[in-house]
Amino acid sequence: MDEQSLIAAAQQGDLTAFNSLVEQYQQGVFNTAYRVLLDADAAADATQDAFLSAYRAIGKFRGGSFRAWLLRIVTNACYDQLRAKKRRPTASLDALLLSPDDPGPFVTERTQDNPLDQAMRVELRDVIHAGLRTLPPDQRLAVVLSDIQGFKYQEIAAIMDVSTGTVKSRLSRGRAKLRDYLLDQKELLPDKYRLKRKV
Amino acid sequence: MSVWNRLRRSDHEKVRQLLSPYLDGEVSQQEKATVEQHLRACRACQDELEGLRWTIGLLAQTSAEPLPRSFVLRKTDVEPARKAPRLQWAYPLLRGATAVAALLLIVTLAVDWGAGRGARPAGAPVQTRSIQNLQEEKALPQESAPQAAPLATGVANAEAQETPPSAADAQASSPPPLKTAPTAAATPTRANQGRPVPTGVAGRQAVPPGSPPSPTPSGSNRHVWGLIEAVLGALLLLLLGATWWTARHR
């Protein structure tokens, strides 16, 4: 079944068809939520909420990019999570338990990389996440959608429900801040990821 | 600062804003030409552009996070939560029952309080009649009964008083050949000696010596009050039951 048929079946209430779409997009949706929220549990909650909302609202889907539509829903779920977190700030248990030498529960599942590559990727991820954390949520989301998820400006504008000019501005400021942060923290990056300046 | 320098500076700021969309190919042809021309002469903007390119490259290298679990929806996730059965039809009934119960309670309390005030002037000592006095007043056939009959409780007193006086009673009570003093309660008789002086229902029926018996509730009034009490009890039970049911099914 192609995507359009699955969407049409899901619009008729076919849960199996909708779950086929979930399986297809859950990785991207979770990744976006994870990079925006920078908390695995909150990202999982936002992803679950987003798919549930999508199932309930799929009757209102009027064509276009289904992925962008899903990401718009997960974006709203992420904002809900951020608002809830602002109301009830909590310390992440993962952050308390993981030491810098411990790559965390997700990384152990990656077996295709050799241990050195794996360790360097973990270091890179940690530094990037720390950098993303310095950005305001709007700029962080624009950066994630553009540079990690690969969306075009118009798609980002539709997902974030803002104008293309706003996307351009948020992305420009977000990237500049992140670049400054990464340059400041370059000692924390593995050597192969450091910026080699032309002399 | 010279005009030339000022122009160069404003050009530099404008180009800095365009570097990010320039990398994404989101600039017009004219903007692209402006950026490229500026970049040829400005080392700072070249560095900025290089830094941005490097940042975007790093972000692209962040690998996907493995899913912590599958987000496939189950039937139980999408089914609307089954609501506890609600007795919508019962709410007006319960509301009415509450209103009636409240009204009856208010009426009962008001009548009770009013009767208590009306029977005894404020500040007057509480006067009660012992069963002995009552028997004497009413010249009941039980006059010959033992004086120490155990009937001195307040309720019994009241009930005895509530008995409508017969014509013979009225005749018997019209002259005051009573041995009772106005302070019958203050000087306890043998019957009520050592017992608490009944007040309230019995107390408000106090009869001053020498006066004819005060009008007492008739048998029909007693029935009305009994009915009100029964209705209040039933309503109370109904409301308690509804509260319990609601708490259980919430």
Side-chain angles (χ1 to χ4, degrees), chain A residues 77-93:
Chain A
C78 286
Y79 279 126
D80 288 345
Q81 290 280 339
L82 286 171
R83 274 191 288 267
K85 204 172 179 180
K86 209 172 178 181
R87 281 197 299 270
R88 300 185 303 274
T90 52
S92 164
L93 202 59

Side-chain angles (χ1 to χ4, degrees), chain A residues 19 27 35 48 153 175 193, chain B residues 20 24 54 63 65 69:
Chain A
N19 277 335
Q27 182 70 67
R35 307 273 190 235
Q48 190 72 58
Y153 282 33
R175 278 172 174 171
Y193 295 119
Chain B
S20 171
D24 295 323
W54 169 71
S63 50
E65 296 293 334
R69 60 186 163 90

Side-chain angles (χ1 to χ4, degrees), chain A residues 12-190:
Chain A
Q12 300 302 314
D14 185 343
L15 185 60
T16 312
F18 183 80
N19 277 335
S20 299
L21 293 165
V22 172
E23 282 170 353
Q24 195 175 330
Y25 289 112
Q26 60 182 351
Q27 182 70 67
V29 170
F30 174 74
N31 267 327
T32 304
Y34 184 61
R35 307 273 190 235
V36 172
L37 297 170
L38 301 168
D39 179 305
D41 291 334
D45 288 347
T47 305
Q48 190 72 58
D49 290 349
F51 280 125
L52 203 55
S53 301
Y55 179 76
R56 289 184 179 141
I58 198 165
K60 295 175 193 162
F61 177 66
R62 297 276 174 263
S65 166
F66 186 71
R67 180 173 169 237
W69 183 75
L70 269 181
L71 283 176
R72 184 170 182 172
I73 294 173
V74 82
T75 298
N76 289 331
C78 286
Y79 279 126
D80 288 345
Q81 290 280 339
L82 286 171
R83 274 191 288 267
K85 204 172 179 180
K86 209 172 178 181
R87 281 197 299 270
R88 300 185 303 274
T90 52
S92 164
L93 202 59
D94 286 350
L96 294 174
L97 295 176
L98 296 181
S99 69
D101 300 330
D102 183 357
F106 298 148
V107 180
T108 53
E109 293 173 24
R110 262 191 232 116
T111 52
Q112 59 268 41
D113 294 343
N114 67 48
L116 187 62
D117 282 348
Q118 194 174 309
M120 286 198 294
R121 278 180 182 279
V122 170
E123 284 176 43
L124 174 65
R125 183 199 67 178
D126 288 348
V127 176
I128 286 179
H129 282 190
L132 286 172
R133 217 179 278 276
T134 63
L135 305 183
D138 288 339
Q139 292 176 16
R140 195 189 307 161
L141 183 61
V143 169
V144 168
L145 290 173
S146 169
D147 298 339
I148 297 179
Q149 295 297 325
F151 282 105
K152 300 282 177 205
Y153 282 33
Q154 277 194 330
E155 291 171 309
I156 299 170
I159 291 168
M160 295 181 74
D161 200 18
V162 293
S163 69
T164 315
T166 306
V167 171
K168 206 180 274 189
S169 158
R170 285 180 185 174
L171 195 52
S172 185
R173 285 189 214 154
R175 278 172 174 171
K177 265 189 210 167
L178 193 59
R179 177 202 57 209
D180 293 345
Y181 178 85
L182 292 173
L183 285 173
D184 282 348
Q185 306 291 324
K186 62 183 176 201
E187 283 77 20
L188 298 176
L189 285 170

